[in-house]
Amino acid sequence: MSAPAAVRDIARRRATIAGRTLRTDRWWLQPLITVVGLVAWVLYAVIRTATQKYYWVPQYHYLTPFASPCISASCIPEASHLGQWLPAFPPLVPFAIITLPFLLGFRLTCYYYRKAYYRSFWLSPPACAVSEPHKKYSGETRFPLIFQNVHRYFFYAAGIIALLNTYDSIVAFHGKTGGFGFGLGNVILLANVVLLWAYTASCHSCRSLVGGRLKHFSKHPVRYWMWRQVSKLNEKHMALAWTTLGTLALTDAYIGLVSAGVFTDLRFIN
Ligand code: FES
């Protein structure tokens, strides 16, 4: 029996109750928190990237991940770590336009975010034992949701982007008058990069890549060890998904505020 047919069969056998659910707890709270959290983050990101301002701190070479890689002729030349291959951007276009589709694709097709937005935005279903408003269900077997299966390719792209972010965080160990320098901004940039790697490594595609298609773990001890480490991270995938949204926004906000002169960076080594 195909999966959709099995699901239809279960739907036919659902208990016939008058109300939408018999649950009396606040089952709607979790989807509501998810909607508020994701909408707030997207609004923040759209506004920040559209301003094309306060993305670079010249004294310490801090570049916000929201503007990386800065490869447009509109970028401040020192912030263009990889050069300027693209012409000047009109207003409102994010400087990181080249990586945004891949990052967005990676998060949108992520197994955890799928669960989050299917439940919270599409209400399919909004919670356990709460009926959904949709009459039909075809899962991810048809257009457009069949495209969720390209997640593995976005995972490869996300790995390359994490490398870029790592490079930005290394370049940022820059002193006010040149040479080595170290401040609170470096701690924030570094923590963000470590957590981004943890989120990327905890991906289900990564777990399958590392330990999948093996008949005998005993014959592949290195891959088995790696699979166990990735599996441990994988258990925290939801927490990492949210934490990295937070650290991305925090890193961007910190660099934005230092760049705008609202406060100065706390320096440990100038
Ligand atoms: Fe979430 Fe791959 S499953 S990033």
Side-chain angles (χ1 to χ4, degrees), residues 106-107 109-113 151 155 199-200 202-206 234 237:
F106 186 48
R107 298 257 171 179
T109 59
C110 161
Y111 289 29
Y112 165 66
Y113 285 110
H151 182 65
F155 163 74
Y199 170 65
T200 309
S202 71
C203 169
H204 292 68
S205 290
C206 179
N234 183 260
H237 195 58

Side-chain angles (χ1 to χ4, degrees), residues 8 65 80 84 90 93 124 130 136 142 146 150 153 166 172-173 179-180 189 199-200 202 204 212 223 251 263:
R8 275 198 300 277
S80 300
Q84 299 188 338
V93 176
S124 181
V130 180
K136 286 189 183 166
R142 293 192 199 155
I146 195 163
V150 298
Y153 302 101
T166 307
F173 285 98
F180 180 80
L189 275 163
Y199 170 65
T200 309
S202 71
H204 292 68
R223 286 185 67 183
T251 308
F263 52 72

